[in-house]
Amino acid sequence: MKKIILTGDRPTGRLHVGHYVGSLRRRVELQNSGEYDEIHIMIADAQALTDNADNPEKVKANISEVALDYLSCGLDPEKTNLLVQSYISELTELTFYYSNLVTVSRLQRNPTVKSEIQMRGFHSSIPVGFFTYPISQAADITAFKATTVPVGEDQLPMLEQAREIVRSFNSTYEEVLVEPQALLPENRICSRLPGTDGKAKMSKSLGNCIYLSDDPEDIRKKIMSMFTDPNHIRVEDPGSLEGNMVFIYLDAFCRDELFAEYLPEYQNLQEMKDHYTRGGLGDVKVKKFLYNVLMEELSPIQARRKELEKDVPAVMEILREGSIAAKEIAAKTLDEVKHAMRIDYFV
Ligand code: ATP
Ligand code: MG
């Protein structure tokens, strides 16, 4: 069986470091491993509109922003197909057919949908499109017969729901669809990077993000105002790592080699943590180190972005070509789906 990747992001903002450690960095590694037959990365504009119906300009403006983030992180259109969801109308058709296989109560039980409804303050005025977006996500994944979906932890319930739809479709009609597997980051912190405010998830909609393209000065300010241990008042005080955002981010980003360059008095993160908990290591020093660690990763990405920003039409052309190629694949799956559902009268 072919090994196929499908994953993507909502164009609701520029991409942040949570996206990077949760999925983006992995996609680039998988792309360069050469182990996959096809890689499709989708900018999910139709999905973004399910909770931004009144703000189409925002969604539109973020298509090229997300594409710039992709390319600057190393996604290569020669190896990876970059596409825009709304261009592929077949996905909407698949969503419509799959919705017959899902109950309202099953959607209501989806923990990610539940928490996102709460986070967005929808109460009882939930747009139907938003409520049913797990079905559209199943359409996105299955249209490409994806076997592997690299995502953060918040997407696991979506993947489970997609797998159920596949099983239900294949047993009700014919074996057409492929059951996808989620691929989570190996490092648990990276599966759900918390926000700079300490909230459970860094999220574009919560405004608690360090964006990949943030100005270095803004990144410095965001790090300097991060929550640490409120009882760690003087440098000599023993500090706690529990809920300490600076150490949580170091867990996600730090590599031992960076100590030699920026903080040679320690060999690795554990030594630094031990010093902090013993007392004698101040927050400012840890924060400065985190800044260096982050910028080590982000500087080359930001430099590439600056170059790419000079020719945004070329970036849009990459998306156009990728979307055309994706449409062909999705159309083929849709034909198979309609055939299995006995709605292929005129072919
Ligand atoms: P929104 O608030 O609009 O939903 P978001 O920040 O949650 O935006 P998405 O576009 O929904 O971003 O998510 C894209 C991908 O990034 C998904 O695979 C998701 O699991 C992953 N992801 C998002 N936020 C994080 C995070 N804080 N840590 C790890 N992975 C994340
Ligand atoms: Mg999200």
Side-chain angles (χ1 to χ4, degrees):
M1 190 166 72
K2 274 187 165 183
K3 289 174 80 176
I4 300 175
I5 289 178
L6 178 283
T7 187
D9 307 273
R10 295 151 41 92
T12 47
R14 291 172 290 143
L15 297 185
H16 54 63
V17 294
H19 297 122
Y20 183 70
V21 293
S23 172
L24 196 46
R25 179 166 65 180
R26 188 67 166 283
R27 297 176 202 170
V28 176
E29 284 165 15
L30 296 173
Q31 164 195 275
N32 295 338
S33 75
E35 281 174 20
Y36 286 82
D37 299 290
E38 289 172 33
I39 306 180
H40 305 281
I41 309 285
M42 186 177 81
I43 303 184
D45 60 337
Q47 191 191 113
L49 284 164
T50 63
D51 58 327
N52 289 280
D54 56 350
N55 206 347
E57 288 304 329
K58 169 171 131 185
V59 174
K60 182 175 182 183
N62 280 303
I63 302 269
S64 57
E65 294 289 349
V66 171
L68 283 165
D69 285 327
Y70 284 168
L71 297 169
S72 54
C73 283
L75 286 177
D76 173 359
E78 296 287 320
K79 300 178 187 154
T80 294
N81 198 39
L82 302 178
L83 59 125
V84 179
Q85 185 185 27
S86 62
Y87 184 81
I88 298 126
S89 47
E90 288 78 2
L91 300 175
T92 320
E93 258 184 277
L94 287 173
T95 305
F96 187 72
Y97 295 132
Y98 294 172
S99 37
N100 301 336
L101 304 172
V102 181
T103 63
V104 170
S105 65
R106 176 64 184 86
L107 283 171
Q108 277 167 336
R109 278 200 314 275
N110 184 312
T112 303
V113 174
K114 258 196 209 165
S115 70
E116 291 190 335
I117 284 173
Q118 203 180 19
M119 189 177 100
R120 286 163 174 75
F122 281 146
H123 306 292
S124 58
S125 51
I126 310 159
V128 173
F130 185 81
F131 181 60
T132 57
Y133 93 77
I135 307 175
S136 105
Q137 215 161 300
D140 303 335
I141 296 168
T142 55
F144 297 94
K145 303 208 168 153
T147 50
T148 311
V149 186
V151 280
E153 194 184 59
D154 61 314
Q155 293 301 311
L156 286 184
M158 301 299 158
L159 261 291
E160 201 37 56
Q161 186 129 35
R163 290 158 61 86
E164 279 174 34
I165 290 172
V166 169
R167 286 197 288 268
S168 173
F169 186 95
N170 286 350
S171 66
T172 310
Y173 305 111
E174 279 168 38
E175 284 277 328
V176 170
L177 304 179
V178 175
E179 255 188 70
Q181 301 282 348
L183 190 64
L184 287 183
E186 277 145 20
N187 180 344
R188 263 198 61 77
I189 298 282
C190 296
S191 316
R192 184 186 290 260
L193 192 75
T196 49
D197 56 358
K199 287 218 176 94
K201 183 179 166 299
M202 182 176 285
S203 175
K204 285 174 247 138
S205 307
L206 293 175
N208 56 4
C209 309
I210 295 178
Y211 293 97
L212 295 173
S213 51
D214 267 349
D215 189 72
E217 207 30 58
D218 288 339
I219 296 181
R220 188 193 302 278
K221 282 190 199 137
K222 286 180 184 179
I223 291 176
M224 287 302 166
S225 59
M226 262 181 193
F227 183 84
T228 56
D229 169 8
N231 298 317
H232 185 241
I233 298 160
R234 288 165 307 165
V235 173
E236 319 80 80
D237 293 338
S240 165
L241 304 175
E242 188 64 33
N244 188 321
M245 297 314 295
V246 183
F247 279 99
I248 291 174
Y249 279 55
L250 282 174
D251 273 329
F253 289 96
C254 186
R255 285 177 285 121
D256 288 348
E257 310 88 87
L258 295 175
F259 281 97
E261 189 166 349
Y262 296 109
L263 216 51
E265 60 212 85
Y266 307 107
Q267 307 244 341
N268 54 44
L269 188 55
Q270 194 53 50
E271 280 187 12
M272 189 185 193
K273 284 180 176 173
D274 291 345
H275 192 184
Y276 190 81
T277 47
R278 240 184 3 253
L281 172 59
D283 282 343
V284 171
K285 192 160 170 180
V286 188
K287 286 179 170 177
K288 281 188 176 155
F289 179 61
L290 173 61
Y291 173 79
N292 287 326
V293 167
L294 258 185
M295 288 318 296
E296 182 79 21
E297 195 92 18
L298 298 186
S299 296
I301 296 174
Q302 296 194 344
R304 276 197 297 272
R305 199 186 209 272
K306 288 233 152 56
E307 281 305 305
L308 290 158
E309 279 168 356
K310 290 179 188 159
D311 193 357
V312 174
V315 173
M316 293 306 289
E317 179 56 23
I318 291 171
L319 295 181
R320 194 179 74 86
E321 285 171 17
S323 302
I324 291 170
K327 193 170 171 72
E328 251 178 60
I329 299 172
K332 193 162 166 289
T333 305
L334 179 63
D335 281 348
E336 293 172 35
V337 161
K338 290 175 79 171
H339 176 74
M341 293 179 73
R342 323 283 189 266
I343 47 175
D344 58 345
Y345 322 112
F346 306 121
V347 286

